[in-house]
Amino acid sequence: MEQEQSTVELKFEVRDPGSFFVAASGALDCRVVNEDVIFRSDGKVLEYYTVAADPAATRQFAESFPGVRSARIVRTDAENCLLELVFDRRDCVSSTLATTHAVVKRTVAEEGTGMVVAEVPDHADASEVVDAMLDRHAGTALLSKLHRDDSDLVAVTGAVGTERYLAALTAKQRDAVRAAVQGGYLAWPRRSSASECAAALGISQPTFSQHLYRGLEVLLLDLFDLAEEESEGVTPSHEPFQDRQ
């Protein structure tokens, strides 16, 4: 009989002015939500934030924030903009949690106060996660600690199904797919070119396209429950990897 998995959910309040989402929410007087974090192979960190503020002011603040290497507004709507950031440093909250084997589930801030929800798998030590957060990020407090089993996770987050599909991809394929989704490369009309997504990941455009299309192929084969050997005789429909707008 398969043993049931469990996790510990930790909720933190963060007031660390060195954390971008906290500082931006205070300086721009708005709500800031972290949408995704990708740890690049060169040591830099790629992050996407939904910011409920003027796009020009958002970009100006981001470009002046310590450690930001590049800032780009991916899209805007009536109330929000999606901000793409590349950081030179790895001292952000997401990095702290990743080094302690915790998984970030939600990061949001308003008026200079942030809230972070993380899940700690059963093979990791929740107390080490708490200690790391309190030690590395000023003004951080633990708000709650909850234990969840597999059934709770499916009901609350749907994470089991998502992780099942993503587990089939390599790390490079996952990063390419996530950057393409967040950057709007898969949207119509496209909000980013392949070259822009590749630059955000710090890789070449052909390499990005290779990882992206292979990752999408694996996801779709898994989605439609097709065996790998069944697809070998199918000629790919896409042309050689080009930066098509």
Side-chain angles (χ1 to χ4, degrees):
M1 182 176 179
E2 186 175 346
Q3 187 175 4
E4 188 175 71
Q5 300 290 313
S6 63
T7 65
V8 175
E9 180 188 274
L10 302 174
K11 183 181 292 186
F12 297 93
E13 179 182 84
V14 181
R15 294 177 179 268
D16 180 11
S19 295
F20 175 81
F21 72 108
V22 173
S25 72
L28 299 172
D29 191 22
C30 68
R31 180 180 177 87
V32 179
V33 180
N34 181 266
E35 302 294 351
D36 206 349
V37 179
I38 298 175
F39 299 103
R40 294 178 15 171
S41 59
D42 60 2
K44 297 179 176 62
V45 182
L46 170 61
E47 298 193 71
Y48 294 90
Y49 290 94
T50 295
V51 184
D54 175 72
T58 297
R59 181 172 180 176
Q60 182 179 20
F61 176 81
E63 290 177 335
S64 66
F65 194 78
V68 171
R69 182 179 180 85
S70 67
R72 182 171 72 99
I73 301 297
V74 175
R75 67 172 183 268
T76 62
D77 58 30
E79 298 180 351
N80 304 298
C81 63
L82 180 66
L83 175 66
E84 174 191 274
L85 289 180
V86 175
F87 285 92
D88 273 329
R89 53 193 176 84
R90 285 198 171 197
D91 57 354
C92 61
V93 167
S94 297
S95 295
T96 297
L97 293 171
T99 56
T100 53
H101 306 291
V103 179
V104 181
K105 307 309 286 185
R106 183 164 179 78
T107 302
V108 60
E110 290 187 85
E111 299 179 352
T113 300
M115 188 269 289
V116 176
V117 178
E119 285 180 0
V120 184
D122 54 5
H123 63 77
D125 187 341
S127 63
E128 291 184 2
V129 178
V130 174
D131 289 343
M133 284 291 293
L134 299 184
D135 290 343
R136 300 177 193 176
H137 302 284
T140 297
L142 178 65
L143 298 180
S144 65
K145 178 179 179 180
L146 299 174
H147 293 267
R148 297 191 184 278
D149 58 24
D150 276 347
S151 58
D152 292 330
L153 294 176
V154 174
V156 174
T157 68
V160 172
T162 301
E163 292 303 320
R164 182 177 77 83
Y165 287 110
L166 292 179
L169 305 184
T170 67
K172 292 179 179 178
Q173 289 167 358
R174 284 196 299 272
D175 290 349
V177 170
R178 289 160 61 191
V181 171
Q182 293 294 345
Y185 179 71
L186 300 177
W188 187 261
R190 283 180 176 164
R191 302 187 185 99
S192 299
S193 66
S195 294
E196 288 173 319
C197 291
L201 289 170
I203 58 178
S204 68
Q205 181 269 313
T207 299
F208 164 74
S209 295
Q210 179 183 9
H211 292 320
L212 172 63
Y213 285 113
R214 179 54 182 156
L216 292 176
E217 179 184 26
V218 172
L219 287 173
L220 290 173
L221 289 175
D222 196 15
L223 178 63
F224 292 104
D225 199 24
L226 295 175
E228 180 77 18
E229 56 269 17
E230 293 179 14
S231 68
E232 290 181 352
V234 179
T235 302
S237 59
H238 57 76
E239 301 171 0
F241 305 124
Q242 301 290 330
D243 185 2
R244 295 174 291 176
Q245 301 297 321

Coordinates of all heavy atoms in Angstrom, one line a residue, residues 158-226:
G158 N -4.7 21.7 -5.8 CA -4.6 20.9 -7.1 C -3.2 20.7 -7.5 O -2.9 20.3 -8.7
A159 N -2.3 20.8 -6.6 CA -0.8 20.7 -7.0 C -0.4 19.3 -7.4 O 0.5 19.2 -8.2 CB 0.0 21.1 -5.7
V160 N -1.1 18.3 -7.0 CA -0.6 16.9 -7.3 C -0.7 16.7 -8.8 O 0.2 16.2 -9.5 CB -1.5 15.9 -6.6 CG1 -1.1 14.5 -7.1 CG2 -1.2 15.9 -5.1
G161 N -1.8 17.1 -9.4 CA -2.0 17.0 -10.9 C -1.0 17.8 -11.7 O -0.4 17.3 -12.6
T162 N -0.8 19.0 -11.2 CA 0.2 19.9 -11.9 C 1.6 19.3 -11.8 O 2.3 19.2 -12.8 CB 0.2 21.3 -11.3 OG1 -1.1 21.8 -11.4 CG2 1.2 22.2 -12.0
E163 N 2.0 18.9 -10.6 CA 3.3 18.3 -10.5 C 3.5 17.1 -11.2 O 4.6 16.8 -11.7 CB 3.6 18.1 -9.0 CG 3.7 19.4 -8.1 CD 4.7 20.3 -8.6 OE1 5.8 19.8 -9.0 OE2 4.5 21.5 -8.7
R164 N 2.5 16.3 -11.4 CA 2.6 15.0 -12.2 C 3.0 15.3 -13.6 O 3.9 14.7 -14.2 CB 1.3 14.3 -12.2 CG 1.4 12.9 -13.0 CD 0.1 12.2 -12.9 NE -0.9 12.7 -13.8 CZ -0.9 12.4 -15.1 NH1 0.0 11.6 -15.6 NH2 -1.8 12.9 -15.9
Y165 N 2.5 16.4 -14.2 CA 2.8 16.7 -15.6 C 4.2 17.3 -15.7 O 5.0 17.0 -16.5 CB 1.8 17.7 -16.2 CG 0.5 17.0 -16.5 CD1 -0.7 17.3 -15.8 CD2 0.4 16.1 -17.6 CE1 -1.9 16.7 -16.1 CE2 -0.8 15.5 -17.9 CZ -1.9 15.8 -17.2 OH -3.1 15.2 -17.5
L166 N 4.5 18.3 -14.8 CA 5.8 19.0 -14.8 C 6.9 18.0 -14.5 O 8.1 18.3 -14.9 CB 5.8 20.1 -13.8 CG 4.9 21.3 -14.2 CD1 4.9 22.4 -13.1 CD2 5.2 21.9 -15.5
A167 N 6.7 17.0 -13.7 CA 7.8 16.0 -13.3 C 8.3 15.3 -14.5 O 9.4 14.8 -14.5 CB 7.2 15.0 -12.3
A168 N 7.6 15.3 -15.6 CA 8.0 14.6 -16.8 C 9.0 15.4 -17.6 O 9.7 14.9 -18.5 CB 6.8 14.3 -17.7
L169 N 9.2 16.7 -17.3 CA 10.1 17.6 -18.0 C 11.4 17.7 -17.3 O 11.5 17.5 -16.1 CB 9.5 19.0 -18.1 CG 8.1 19.1 -18.7 CD1 7.7 20.6 -18.8 CD2 8.0 18.5 -20.1
T170 N 12.5 18.0 -18.1 CA 13.7 18.3 -17.5 C 13.7 19.7 -16.9 O 12.7 20.5 -17.2 CB 14.9 18.3 -18.6 OG1 14.7 19.3 -19.5 CG2 14.9 16.9 -19.3
A171 N 14.6 20.1 -16.1 CA 14.6 21.4 -15.5 C 14.7 22.5 -16.6 O 14.0 23.5 -16.5 CB 15.8 21.6 -14.6
K172 N 15.5 22.3 -17.6 CA 15.6 23.3 -18.7 C 14.3 23.4 -19.5 O 13.9 24.5 -19.9 CB 16.7 22.9 -19.6 CG 18.1 23.1 -18.9 CD 19.2 22.7 -19.9 CE 20.6 22.9 -19.2 NZ 21.7 22.5 -20.1
Q173 N 13.6 22.3 -19.7 CA 12.3 22.3 -20.4 C 11.3 23.0 -19.5 O 10.5 23.8 -20.0 CB 11.8 20.9 -20.7 CG 12.7 20.2 -21.8 CD 12.4 18.7 -21.9 OE1 11.7 18.2 -21.1 NE2 13.1 18.1 -22.8
R174 N 11.2 22.8 -18.2 CA 10.3 23.4 -17.3 C 10.5 24.9 -17.3 O 9.6 25.7 -17.4 CB 10.4 22.9 -15.9 CG 9.8 21.6 -15.7 CD 9.6 21.3 -14.2 NE 10.9 21.3 -13.5 CZ 11.6 20.2 -13.3 NH1 11.3 19.1 -13.9 NH2 12.8 20.3 -12.6
D175 N 11.8 25.3 -17.3 CA 12.1 26.8 -17.2 C 11.6 27.4 -18.5 O 11.1 28.6 -18.5 CB 13.6 27.0 -17.1 CG 14.1 26.6 -15.6 OD1 13.2 26.4 -14.8 OD2 15.3 26.6 -15.4
A176 N 11.9 26.8 -19.7 CA 11.5 27.4 -21.0 C 10.0 27.5 -21.1 O 9.5 28.5 -21.6 CB 12.0 26.5 -22.1
V177 N 9.3 26.5 -20.7 CA 7.8 26.5 -20.7 C 7.2 27.6 -19.8 O 6.4 28.4 -20.2 CB 7.2 25.1 -20.3 CG1 5.7 25.2 -20.2 CG2 7.5 24.1 -21.4
R178 N 7.8 27.7 -18.6 CA 7.3 28.7 -17.7 C 7.6 30.1 -18.2 O 6.7 31.0 -18.1 CB 7.9 28.4 -16.3 CG 7.4 27.2 -15.6 CD 8.3 26.7 -14.5 NE 8.5 27.7 -13.4 CZ 9.5 27.6 -12.5 NH1 10.3 26.5 -12.5 NH2 9.6 28.5 -11.6
A179 N 8.8 30.3 -18.7 CA 9.1 31.6 -19.2 C 8.3 32.0 -20.4 O 7.9 33.1 -20.6 CB 10.6 31.7 -19.6
A180 N 7.9 31.0 -21.3 CA 7.1 31.2 -22.4 C 5.7 31.6 -22.0 O 5.0 32.5 -22.6 CB 7.1 30.0 -23.3
V181 N 5.2 30.9 -21.0 CA 3.8 31.2 -20.5 C 3.8 32.6 -19.8 O 2.9 33.4 -20.1 CB 3.4 30.1 -19.5 CG1 2.1 30.5 -18.8 CG2 3.2 28.8 -20.2
Q182 N 4.7 32.8 -18.9 CA 4.7 34.1 -18.2 C 5.0 35.3 -19.1 O 4.4 36.3 -19.0 CB 5.7 34.1 -17.0 CG 5.4 33.1 -15.9 CD 4.1 33.5 -15.1 OE1 3.6 34.6 -15.2 NE2 3.6 32.6 -14.4
G183 N 5.9 35.0 -20.0 CA 6.3 36.1 -21.0 C 5.3 36.4 -22.1 O 5.4 37.3 -22.9
G184 N 4.2 35.5 -22.2 CA 3.2 35.7 -23.2 C 3.7 35.3 -24.6 O 3.0 35.6 -25.6
Y185 N 4.7 34.4 -24.7 CA 5.1 33.9 -26.0 C 4.1 33.0 -26.6 O 4.0 32.9 -27.8 CB 6.5 33.2 -25.8 CG 7.0 32.6 -27.1 CD1 7.5 33.4 -28.1 CD2 7.0 31.2 -27.3 CE1 8.0 32.9 -29.3 CE2 7.5 30.7 -28.5 CZ 8.0 31.5 -29.5 OH 8.5 31.0 -30.7
L186 N 3.3 32.3 -25.7 CA 2.3 31.4 -26.2 C 1.0 32.0 -26.4 O 0.0 31.4 -26.8 CB 2.2 30.2 -25.3 CG 3.5 29.3 -25.1 CD1 3.2 28.2 -24.1 CD2 3.9 28.8 -26.4
A187 N 0.9 33.3 -26.1 CA -0.4 34.0 -26.2 C -0.6 34.5 -27.7 O 0.4 34.4 -28.5 CB -0.4 35.3 -25.3
W188 N -1.8 34.9 -28.0 CA -2.0 35.4 -29.3 C -2.8 36.7 -29.2 O -3.9 36.7 -28.7 CB -2.8 34.4 -30.2 CG -2.9 34.9 -31.6 CD1 -4.0 35.6 -32.2 CD2 -1.9 34.9 -32.6 NE1 -3.7 35.9 -33.5 CE2 -2.4 35.5 -33.8 CE3 -0.6 34.4 -32.6 CZ2 -1.6 35.7 -34.9 CZ3 0.2 34.6 -33.8 CH2 -0.4 35.2 -34.9
P189 N -2.3 37.8 -29.7 CA -1.0 37.9 -30.3 C 0.1 37.8 -29.2 O -0.1 38.0 -28.1 CB -1.0 39.3 -30.9 CG -2.0 40.1 -30.0 CD -3.0 39.1 -29.7
R190 N 1.3 37.5 -29.7 CA 2.4 37.3 -28.8 C 2.8 38.6 -28.1 O 2.8 39.6 -28.7 CB 3.6 36.7 -29.5 CG 3.5 35.2 -29.8 CD 4.7 34.7 -30.6 NE 4.6 33.3 -30.8 CZ 5.3 32.6 -31.6 NH1 6.2 33.2 -32.4 NH2 5.1 31.3 -31.8
R191 N 3.1 38.5 -26.8 CA 3.5 39.6 -26.0 C 5.1 39.7 -25.9 O 5.6 40.7 -25.5 CB 2.9 39.6 -24.6 CG 1.4 39.5 -24.6 CD 0.8 39.7 -23.2 NE -0.6 39.5 -23.2 CZ -1.2 38.4 -22.9 NH1 -0.5 37.3 -22.5 NH2 -2.5 38.3 -22.9
S192 N 5.7 38.6 -26.3 CA 7.2 38.5 -26.2 C 7.7 37.7 -27.4 O 7.0 36.8 -27.8 CB 7.7 37.9 -24.9 OG 7.3 38.7 -23.8
S193 N 8.9 38.0 -27.9 CA 9.5 37.2 -28.9 C 10.3 36.0 -28.3 O 10.6 36.1 -27.0 CB 10.4 38.0 -29.8 OG 11.5 38.5 -29.0
A194 N 10.7 35.1 -29.0 CA 11.5 34.0 -28.5 C 12.8 34.6 -28.0 O 13.4 34.1 -27.0 CB 11.8 32.9 -29.6
S195 N 13.3 35.6 -28.7 CA 14.6 36.2 -28.3 C 14.5 36.9 -26.9 O 15.4 36.8 -26.1 CB 15.1 37.2 -29.3 OG 15.4 36.6 -30.5
E196 N 13.3 37.5 -26.7 CA 13.1 38.2 -25.4 C 13.0 37.1 -24.2 O 13.6 37.3 -23.2 CB 11.9 39.0 -25.4 CG 12.1 40.3 -26.2 CD 10.8 41.1 -26.4 OE1 9.7 40.5 -26.6 OE2 10.8 42.3 -26.4
C197 N 12.3 36.0 -24.5 CA 12.2 35.0 -23.5 C 13.6 34.3 -23.2 O 14.0 34.0 -22.1 CB 11.2 33.9 -24.0 SG 9.5 34.4 -24.0
A198 N 14.3 34.1 -24.3 CA 15.7 33.5 -24.2 C 16.6 34.5 -23.4 O 17.3 34.0 -22.5 CB 16.3 33.3 -25.6
A199 N 16.5 35.8 -23.6 CA 17.3 36.7 -22.9 C 17.0 36.7 -21.4 O 17.9 36.8 -20.6 CB 17.2 38.1 -23.5
A200 N 15.7 36.6 -21.1 CA 15.3 36.5 -19.7 C 15.9 35.3 -19.0 O 16.2 35.4 -17.8 CB 13.8 36.5 -19.6
L201 N 16.0 34.2 -19.7 CA 16.6 33.0 -19.2 C 18.1 33.0 -19.2 O 18.8 32.1 -18.7 CB 16.0 31.8 -19.9 CG 14.6 31.4 -19.6 CD1 14.1 30.4 -20.6 CD2 14.4 31.0 -18.2
G202 N 18.7 33.9 -20.0 CA 20.2 33.9 -20.1 C 20.7 32.9 -21.0 O 21.8 32.4 -20.9
I203 N 19.9 32.5 -22.0 CA 20.3 31.5 -23.0 C 20.1 32.0 -24.4 O 19.5 33.0 -24.6 CB 19.6 30.1 -22.8 CG1 18.0 30.3 -22.9 CG2 19.9 29.5 -21.4 CD1 17.2 29.1 -22.8
S204 N 20.6 31.2 -25.4 CA 20.4 31.6 -26.8 C 18.9 31.3 -27.3 O 18.3 30.5 -26.7 CB 21.3 30.9 -27.7 OG 21.0 29.5 -27.8
Q205 N 18.5 32.0 -28.3 CA 17.1 31.8 -28.8 C 16.9 30.4 -29.3 O 15.9 29.8 -29.0 CB 16.8 32.9 -29.9 CG 15.4 32.7 -30.5 CD 15.4 31.8 -31.7 OE1 16.2 32.0 -32.6 NE2 14.4 30.9 -31.7
P206 N 17.9 29.8 -30.1 CA 17.7 28.4 -30.6 C 17.6 27.4 -29.4 O 16.8 26.5 -29.4 CB 18.9 28.2 -31.4 CG 19.3 29.5 -31.9 CD 19.0 30.4 -30.8
T207 N 18.4 27.7 -28.4 CA 18.3 26.8 -27.2 C 17.0 26.9 -26.5 O 16.4 25.9 -26.1 CB 19.5 27.1 -26.2 OG1 20.7 26.9 -26.9 CG2 19.4 26.2 -25.0
F208 N 16.5 28.1 -26.3 CA 15.2 28.3 -25.7 C 14.1 27.6 -26.5 O 13.3 26.9 -26.0 CB 14.8 29.8 -25.6 CG 13.4 30.1 -25.4 CD1 12.8 29.9 -24.2 CD2 12.6 30.5 -26.4 CE1 11.5 30.2 -23.9 CE2 11.2 30.8 -26.2 CZ 10.7 30.6 -25.0
S209 N 14.1 27.8 -27.8 CA 13.1 27.1 -28.7 C 13.2 25.6 -28.6 O 12.1 24.9 -28.6 CB 13.2 27.6 -30.1 OG 13.0 29.0 -30.2
Q210 N 14.4 25.1 -28.6 CA 14.5 23.6 -28.5 C 13.9 23.1 -27.2 O 13.1 22.1 -27.2 CB 16.0 23.3 -28.6 CG 16.3 21.8 -28.5 CD 17.7 21.4 -28.5 OE1 18.6 22.3 -28.4 NE2 18.1 20.2 -28.6
H211 N 14.3 23.7 -26.1 CA 13.7 23.2 -24.8 C 12.2 23.5 -24.7 O 11.5 22.6 -24.2 CB 14.4 24.0 -23.6 CG 15.9 23.7 -23.5 ND1 16.4 22.4 -23.6 CD2 16.9 24.5 -23.2 CE1 17.7 22.4 -23.4 NE2 18.0 23.6 -23.2
L212 N 11.7 24.6 -25.2 CA 10.3 24.9 -25.2 C 9.5 23.9 -26.0 O 8.6 23.3 -25.4 CB 10.0 26.3 -25.7 CG 8.6 26.6 -25.9 CD1 7.8 26.6 -24.6 CD2 8.4 28.0 -26.6
Y213 N 9.9 23.7 -27.2 CA 9.0 22.8 -28.1 C 9.1 21.3 -27.6 O 8.2 20.6 -27.7 CB 9.4 22.9 -29.5 CG 8.9 24.2 -30.1 CD1 9.8 25.2 -30.5 CD2 7.5 24.4 -30.3 CE1 9.3 26.4 -31.1 CE2 7.0 25.6 -30.8 CZ 7.9 26.6 -31.2 OH 7.4 27.8 -31.7
R214 N 10.3 20.9 -27.1 CA 10.4 19.6 -26.6 C 9.6 19.4 -25.4 O 8.9 18.4 -25.2 CB 11.9 19.2 -26.3 CG 12.1 17.8 -25.7 CD 11.5 16.7 -26.6 NE 11.7 15.4 -25.9 CZ 10.9 14.4 -26.2 NH1 9.9 14.5 -27.0 NH2 11.2 13.2 -25.6
G215 N 9.6 20.4 -24.5 CA 8.8 20.4 -23.3 C 7.3 20.4 -23.6 O 6.6 19.6 -23.0
L216 N 6.9 21.2 -24.5 CA 5.5 21.2 -24.9 C 5.1 19.8 -25.5 O 4.0 19.3 -25.3 CB 5.2 22.3 -25.9 CG 5.3 23.7 -25.4 CD1 5.1 24.7 -26.5 CD2 4.3 24.0 -24.3
E217 N 6.0 19.2 -26.3 CA 5.7 17.9 -26.9 C 5.5 16.9 -25.8 O 4.5 16.1 -25.8 CB 6.8 17.5 -27.8 CG 6.6 16.1 -28.4 CD 7.8 15.6 -29.2 OE1 8.9 16.1 -28.9 OE2 7.6 14.8 -30.1
V218 N 6.4 16.9 -24.8 CA 6.2 15.9 -23.7 C 4.9 16.1 -22.9 O 4.2 15.2 -22.5 CB 7.5 16.0 -22.7 CG1 7.2 15.2 -21.5 CG2 8.7 15.6 -23.4
L219 N 4.6 17.4 -22.6 CA 3.4 17.7 -21.9 C 2.1 17.2 -22.7 O 1.2 16.6 -22.1 CB 3.3 19.2 -21.6 CG 4.2 19.8 -20.6 CD1 4.1 21.3 -20.6 CD2 3.9 19.2 -19.2
L220 N 2.1 17.5 -24.0 CA 0.9 17.1 -24.8 C 0.8 15.6 -24.9 O -0.3 15.0 -24.9 CB 1.0 17.8 -26.1 CG 0.8 19.3 -26.1 CD1 1.0 19.9 -27.5 CD2 -0.6 19.6 -25.6
L221 N 2.0 14.9 -25.1 CA 1.9 13.5 -25.2 C 1.4 12.9 -23.9 O 0.6 11.9 -23.9 CB 3.3 12.9 -25.4 CG 3.9 13.1 -26.8 CD1 5.4 12.7 -26.9 CD2 3.1 12.4 -27.9
D222 N 1.8 13.5 -22.7 CA 1.4 13.0 -21.4 C -0.1 13.3 -21.2 O -0.9 12.5 -20.7 CB 2.2 13.6 -20.3 CG 2.0 12.9 -19.0 OD1 1.5 11.8 -19.0 OD2 2.4 13.5 -17.9
L223 N -0.5 14.5 -21.7 CA -1.9 14.9 -21.5 C -2.8 14.0 -22.3 O -3.9 13.6 -21.8 CB -2.1 16.3 -22.1 CG -3.5 16.9 -22.0 CD1 -4.0 17.0 -20.6 CD2 -3.5 18.3 -22.7
F224 N -2.4 13.6 -23.5 CA -3.3 12.7 -24.3 C -2.9 11.3 -24.2 O -3.4 10.4 -24.9 CB -3.2 13.1 -25.8 CG -3.8 14.5 -26.1 CD1 -3.1 15.6 -26.3 CD2 -5.2 14.6 -26.1 CE1 -3.7 16.8 -26.5 CE2 -5.8 15.8 -26.3 CZ -5.1 16.9 -26.5
D225 N -2.0 11.0 -23.2 CA -1.7 9.6 -22.8 C -1.1 8.8 -24.0 O -1.5 7.7 -24.2 CB -2.9 8.9 -22.2 CG -2.4 7.7 -21.4 OD1 -1.3 7.6 -21.0 OD2 -3.3 6.7 -21.3
L226 N -0.2 9.5 -24.8 CA 0.4 8.8 -25.9 C 1.8 8.3 -25.5 O 2.6 9.1 -24.9 CB 0.5 9.8 -27.1 CG -0.8 10.2 -27.7 CD1 -0.5 11.3 -28.8 CD2 -1.5 9.1 -28.3

